[in-house]
Amino acid sequence: MTKLLVSAIYFRQLTPVFLGLCVGIAISIVVTPFLKDSCLEGFSQSVQLPVNTTDEFEPQQLNAEERAKRDSSSEDRKPPLRPRFVRDELGIRDKLFVGILTSQETAETMAVAINLTLSHHLQKVVFFMESQNQPKLAKPLTMVAFSDDRVLLKPFHMFRYIGDHYLTSYDWFFFAEDTTYIRGERLLEYVNHLSISKDLYLGNAVEDAHALYCKLGSGFLVGQAVMAKIVNELDWCTKNAFSTDADDNIGRCVLHSADLPCSDGVDGIPFNTFQLRNNFNFDVDIKVEEKRLEFKNSLTFHTVHTPETAYKLHKYFSRLDLEQTYRQISDLQQRILNISASAPGGQANFPWPVGVREPSKPKTRFDVIRYDYFTETHVYLETDNNNIAELQGVHKQDVDDVLSVTKQKLREKYGDKLEYRRLVNGYRRFDPTRGMEYILDVALREKNTEYEIHKRVHLMRPLSKVEIVPMPYVTENTRVSIILPLRYEDRARMPTFLKFYEKTVLTAGDNSVLMTVFVYDPGDPTTGTADPYVDIKAQIAAMEKMYKDGARIAWISIKARNPTEFSILDVVSKKFTPEALFLRVTAMVELNPEFLNRCRMNSIFRWQVFFPMGFFEFIPNIVYGPTSPIPEILDINKNYGHYDRHSFEHAAFYNGDYIESRKLIAADVPVITDAKKVPEEGTINIKFDLYDMFLESRLHVFRAVEPALKSRFRAIVCTPLADEAAYKRCLTRRGAALGSRAQLAQLVLEHRSLRAAEPVEGEE
């Protein structure tokens, strides 16, 4: 009875809730249809969109008229025009542009000095002069000359040129004269601390109590926004340039354009400049000036009257910056040591030297970096093919430098107690993650006891900061002129080479041409059926008829017995413009598009030539055997061939670079001007080849392994008339081109077996 009473009480409390739910559900069922129609009607009236009951993504069948309308609209729609580089699309700019005003009288002296001391620190340094007769400079620099010879308008011509070419590419613009020495690294560091959002006109004000203009001689700095305002008001600035002083004209222009007076600093960061004495003598006055803090903290120095003074100032401040860098490194090393004491394991487990990453830990035995053993004169087992080699060139300099540092450090530690005697053992290895490591066992002698003591010394040559070398922009659209000297012994290979040329160039539409140089002996006929190259010329003529635009193959004939490579290139060079890209090859090459594009990218006009190290086939009878067929395409395999690092017969370079470099050896090897007067081999004593000639030039010589360059086997002939070093190099190359070590060893064993099986004379 009690339980029923309790249940009734709970039900009485929940009765209103249940009644409310029931009433609400009933009302919603009755009212919802009326509200739904009114909502749809109101929505259609306000938005005026028809209610589509079909699925928007349902596939639809278009008729011919609708399909034609869709195609025409898509053709009219142009694709969006995007910049070439991502940095242009994102608005990323370089930090600093430097413009230097020079003249025809000082371009060869002061401009060259400023360029040598400044250009390696900054992204862009451009010189501006008022005469179109630019002098021929020994050191190339970026020079812009104006046709207007009026000196007072030269700064505004410079501003207009910058507005047309560099305004949107840089955040800051610095201007000075060629009589101003600029500490480029400090100037770039100063700019990095400034905000581009501020309109700034920084420099050294002219000597006036109410001066509003900056001196051009000491240099001034403006932001990109200020530079844009100046460019927009150049017409006003040009009309109001009535003063003979460039400081007044430029300052008036900046004040009118940006409403900015000259300021010597911003946010507590001073823009320090220093005025040198009129008769400043570096050797005498530097002892006085270096004691002044203002001198050491300045960014620019003017007026510098001679290039020698600029070079001496650059050497002085480079030494100061280097000493400061060493102090910072020492301070950082000490701080790292102090922190490492609290690290797990303490200082004992900390890698040496301090601040250099720890040695690489090999994951397998194949990743172990081995040490090369060396003495003061030789290195042992440096490569797999050499047991011992004499230290020469940079390797000798490296060992001598290490020994010199070792002697100095031992002298600092032991003083006169121990005297260096000799190097007992030396070990070195190159770790790509940290640098060159050395372990030296040196013999020392005690002066008092005459005993010999051996000490082990560890040295480290760490890798410095890795920098990207700026290179000119090149494309893969350059036409390649393939130069093929064809000799009598290479005739059998020429039809195969033409097949590769047809497949790579003519069928694929590559932008290349072929220049074939037929080399005849003096008594050979060049026409008729007796011509030794008559079949090849007929094949070329058939290819010309086969293709609509022709085969793009030309040929010339040279009558000389074994002409030199310079004689052939001298004759060919006259047929092309200086901007033509040459690719010198042999008939043994398997031509392919990848190799042609690699030559385009690695050859830069007036900058770089390319000498690839290709894959050369071994003797086919050794590689494939006497019965196996020779494959049409050479496969890169250690049993089929090798990368010949002594080969320089394939090269890519521009004709203009060859013409300029050829002048360097014209006294020893005269330039051939007539194809009918080509000298024979032996009449000219040539001690160098094309590769050596480019090494003597100002061009970069790029050497790299090129897997796309494959060359079939050809017997290598070494002439004793060449230089002794070149002759030895040729003999080494000829020996390495026979076959792999395993293949040659197998031939020796088989030969010995055959000799052992032969009956001895007199034996029954």
Side-chain angles (χ1 to χ4, degrees):
M1 185 67 180
T2 305
K3 293 182 179 180
L4 293 175
L5 182 60
V6 174
S7 300
I9 294 173
Y10 284 135
F11 180 76
R12 188 180 301 120
Q13 295 176 352
L14 297 176
T15 299
V17 177
F18 286 111
L19 291 176
L21 289 175
C22 295
V23 173
I25 293 173
I27 295 175
S28 63
I29 293 174
V30 176
V31 178
T32 298
F34 301 100
L35 294 177
K36 183 176 181 181
D37 295 338
S38 61
C39 289
L40 289 175
E41 183 179 358
F43 179 78
S44 62
Q45 291 177 358
S46 60
V47 185
Q48 296 182 358
L49 290 177
V51 180
N52 188 8
T53 58
T54 60
D55 190 356
E56 183 182 359
F57 302 98
E58 191 72 21
Q60 300 178 8
Q61 185 70 27
L62 300 179
N63 54 32
E65 183 179 355
E66 293 175 343
R67 190 180 299 108
K69 184 178 180 181
R70 182 198 62 183
D71 295 340
S72 62
S73 62
S74 61
E75 291 177 358
D76 297 338
R77 190 185 305 113
K78 295 182 179 180
L81 182 62
R82 300 187 62 183
R84 178 183 294 271
F85 302 104
V86 176
R87 59 178 300 164
D88 296 334
E89 187 169 356
L90 299 179
I92 301 175
R93 297 190 292 260
D94 288 328
K95 184 57 70 172
L96 181 62
F97 174 92
V98 176
I100 304 295
L101 290 176
T102 184
S103 61
Q104 191 173 6
E105 293 77 16
T106 60
E108 299 181 6
T109 55
M110 297 304 303
V112 173
I114 297 300
N115 183 66
L116 291 176
T117 58
L118 185 64
S119 59
H120 56 283
H121 290 300
L122 304 176
Q123 296 97 334
K124 194 68 175 180
V125 179
V126 180
F127 293 82
F128 299 89
M129 59 186 303
E130 72 280 358
S131 176
Q132 287 187 334
N133 299 324
Q134 298 187 22
K136 295 183 179 180
L137 305 176
K139 298 292 183 180
L141 49 85
T142 305
M143 181 77 71
V144 177
F146 305 113
S147 58
D148 192 348
D149 291 337
R150 289 175 291 181
V151 179
L152 57 90
L153 296 182
K154 182 168 60 172
F156 305 112
H157 292 319
M158 175 179 64
F159 294 155
R160 191 178 301 278
Y161 183 88
I162 292 174
D164 295 338
H165 297 85
Y166 301 110
L167 182 61
T168 59
S169 301
Y170 294 89
D171 288 335
W172 298 96
F173 296 85
F174 181 81
F175 303 99
E177 296 177 337
D178 59 1
T179 56
T180 306
Y181 171 72
I182 305 168
R183 299 178 67 179
E185 191 172 5
R186 285 293 185 90
L187 179 62
L188 186 60
E189 181 182 353
Y190 181 87
V191 168
N192 287 330
H193 289 82
L194 299 180
S195 175
I196 191 61
S197 61
K198 296 182 178 180
D199 291 348
L200 299 178
Y201 175 39
L202 300 178
N204 182 22
V206 297
E207 298 175 356
D208 190 348
H210 304 286
L212 300 176
Y213 311 149
C214 292
K215 290 183 179 180
L216 178 62
S218 60
F220 65 89
L221 181 72
V222 296
Q224 194 270 345
V226 176
M227 192 67 212
K229 296 177 181 179
I230 295 175
V231 172
N232 293 333
E233 297 293 335
L234 281 179
D235 294 336
W236 184 94
C237 298
T238 304
K239 294 178 182 178
N240 291 271
F242 49 79
S243 176
T244 57
D245 190 355
D247 298 338
D248 292 342
N249 294 331
I250 297 174
R252 189 181 304 107
C253 178
V254 176
L255 188 63
H256 171 78
S257 304
D259 194 19
L260 288 175
C262 180
S263 176
D264 59 356
V266 58
D267 296 336
I269 307 176
F271 188 88
N272 296 320
T273 62
F274 192 85
Q275 175 69 48
L276 299 175
R277 301 177 183 178
N278 293 330
N279 56 350
F280 179 78
N281 187 341
F282 179 86
D283 298 329
V284 177
D285 297 335
I286 192 62
K287 299 178 182 179
V288 178
E289 301 294 352
E290 66 179 357
K291 299 178 182 179
R292 303 173 59 181
L293 186 62
E294 179 186 358
F295 180 81
K296 292 184 178 181
N297 294 335
S298 294
L299 301 176
T300 64
F301 299 83
H302 62 287
T303 303
V304 180
H305 297 284
T306 62
E308 289 78 12
T309 303
Y311 295 138
K312 290 179 180 180
L313 285 171
H314 185 68
K315 179 180 179 181
Y316 173 78
F317 286 109
S318 297
R319 181 175 59 83
L320 288 184
D321 294 338
L322 186 61
E323 292 175 354
Q324 182 181 2
T325 302
Y326 283 144
R327 287 193 297 268
Q328 292 176 351
I329 292 175
S330 179
D331 181 60
L332 289 174
Q333 288 178 339
Q334 188 60 42
R335 291 169 60 184
I336 292 173
L337 283 176
N338 296 336
I339 296 174
S340 64
S342 304
Q347 295 182 356
N349 293 336
F350 205 75
W352 181 89
V354 179
V356 180
R357 65 173 60 192
E358 60 182 357
S360 59
K361 298 179 180 179
K363 297 181 180 180
T364 64
R365 62 187 180 91
F366 300 103
D367 299 331
V368 176
I369 304 175
R370 73 177 188 182
Y371 280 92
D372 295 330
Y373 179 81
F374 66 90
T375 62
E376 295 184 8
T377 57
H378 291 79
V379 58
Y380 296 81
L381 300 174
E382 184 179 17
T383 64
D384 295 335
N385 300 323
N386 294 331
N387 294 329
I388 182 173
E390 184 180 359
L391 289 173
Q392 296 178 349
V394 293
H395 298 285
K396 179 63 175 175
Q397 296 177 6
D398 176 55
V399 173
D400 293 341
D401 186 26
V402 169
L403 291 176
S404 176
V405 174
T406 301
K407 297 175 185 178
Q408 178 184 353
K409 295 297 182 181
L410 291 174
R411 194 180 303 112
E412 294 176 358
K413 185 175 182 179
Y414 298 105
D416 297 334
K417 297 180 181 180
L418 299 178
E419 182 181 4
Y420 175 85
R421 296 193 64 181
R422 71 181 190 280
L423 173 65
V424 180
N425 301 306
Y427 309 90
R428 68 177 182 179
R429 72 170 186 176
F430 177 72
D431 190 338
T433 61
R434 47 195 269 131
M436 187 72 78
E437 302 177 17
Y438 305 88
I439 300 177
L440 305 182
D441 295 331
V442 295
L444 307 175
R445 181 178 64 87
E446 286 187 350
K447 286 190 175 182
N448 298 331
T449 61
E450 299 294 330
Y451 289 135
E452 186 176 273
I453 302 175
H454 289 190
K455 294 284 187 180
R456 171 156 287 190
V457 181
H458 292 259
L459 296 98
M460 177 73 189
R461 192 191 297 272
L463 292 174
S464 59
K465 180 182 178 181
V466 179
E467 298 180 0
I468 299 177
V469 179
M471 300 292 286
Y473 178 73
V474 294
T475 65
E476 295 183 353
N477 300 325
T478 307
R479 165 167 285 192
V480 178
S481 301
I482 304 172
I483 310 300
L484 174 61
L486 188 64
R487 304 178 188 272
Y488 184 81
E489 57 271 16
D490 298 334
R491 290 180 306 163
R493 176 66 185 176
M494 189 60 183
T496 306
F497 179 86
L498 290 177
K499 290 181 180 179
F500 280 102
Y501 173 80
E502 182 180 7
K503 178 182 177 181
T504 303
V505 177
L506 302 181
T507 305
D510 190 88
N511 188 18
S512 300
V513 296
L514 175 61
M515 169 63 78
T516 306
V517 183
F518 294 111
V519 180
Y520 291 88
D521 285 340
D524 292 340
T526 58
T527 58
T529 57
D531 185 358
Y533 303 106
V534 61
D535 296 337
I536 299 174
K537 293 180 179 179
Q539 184 179 357
I540 295 175
M543 294 173 62
E544 289 283 351
K545 297 179 181 179
M546 186 183 304
Y547 292 91
K548 179 180 179 180
D549 298 331
R552 288 177 285 174
I553 302 177
W555 75 67
I556 58 175
S557 301
I558 293 179
K559 276 198 170 186
R561 185 175 287 105
N562 294 327
T564 63
E565 57 182 347
F566 294 111
S567 301
I568 295 175
L569 290 175
D570 287 344
V571 174
V572 173
S573 178
K574 303 292 190 300
K575 309 292 183 180
F576 294 88
T577 62
E579 293 77 18
L581 174 59
F582 284 170
L583 172 58
R584 189 189 65 172
V585 297
T586 63
M588 303 300 164
V589 170
E590 295 181 355
L591 213 59
N592 59 81
E594 184 179 356
F595 175 55
L596 294 178
N597 290 333
R598 202 71 57 87
C599 294
R600 293 184 177 101
M601 300 303 294
N602 292 332
S603 304
I604 305 174
F605 189 37
R606 297 176 181 174
W607 189 273
Q608 180 172 284
V609 297
F610 180 43
F611 281 82
M613 291 183 286
F615 185 80
F616 285 75
E617 185 184 31
F618 290 141
I619 298 179
N621 291 338
I622 297 178
V623 175
Y624 310 107
T627 59
S628 301
I630 299 177
E632 295 183 1
I633 304 297
L634 179 60
D635 187 20
I636 297 181
N637 188 290
K638 65 177 182 179
N639 296 323
Y640 297 159
H642 72 298
Y643 286 102
D644 192 353
R645 61 189 182 94
H646 297 291
S647 171
F648 302 95
E649 58 189 8
H650 305 105
F653 52 89
Y654 280 87
N655 186 24
D657 294 336
Y658 172 79
I659 295 173
E660 292 298 323
S661 302
R662 186 69 172 84
K663 298 176 183 178
L664 301 176
I665 61 172
D668 299 327
V669 184
V671 178
I672 305 301
T673 57
D674 189 358
K676 298 180 180 180
K677 299 180 180 180
V678 176
E680 299 180 0
E681 185 182 24
T683 59
I684 300 178
N685 186 16
I686 298 180
K687 298 182 179 180
F688 38 78
D689 55 11
L690 187 67
Y691 178 73
D692 297 326
M693 182 192 72
F694 281 121
L695 284 179
E696 297 297 328
S697 67
R698 59 177 178 82
L699 301 171
H700 296 249
V701 179
F702 182 49
R703 288 275 286 167
V705 172
E706 183 50 66
L709 173 57
K710 302 177 185 179
S711 180
R712 290 291 185 174
F713 174 78
R714 183 177 65 171
I716 299 175
V717 180
C718 300
T719 171
L721 298 176
D723 183 52
E724 181 180 359
Y727 182 65
K728 290 182 178 180
R729 185 176 64 192
C730 181
L731 294 178
T732 302
R733 183 190 174 203
R734 186 173 65 180
L738 299 177
S740 65
R741 300 175 68 179
Q743 293 168 344
L744 297 178
Q746 183 66 28
L747 286 178
V748 172
L749 294 177
E750 292 176 357
H751 179 71
R752 288 182 178 179
S753 300
L754 293 175
R755 291 290 301 272
E758 293 178 357
V760 182
E761 293 184 3
E763 185 179 295
E764 295 183 0

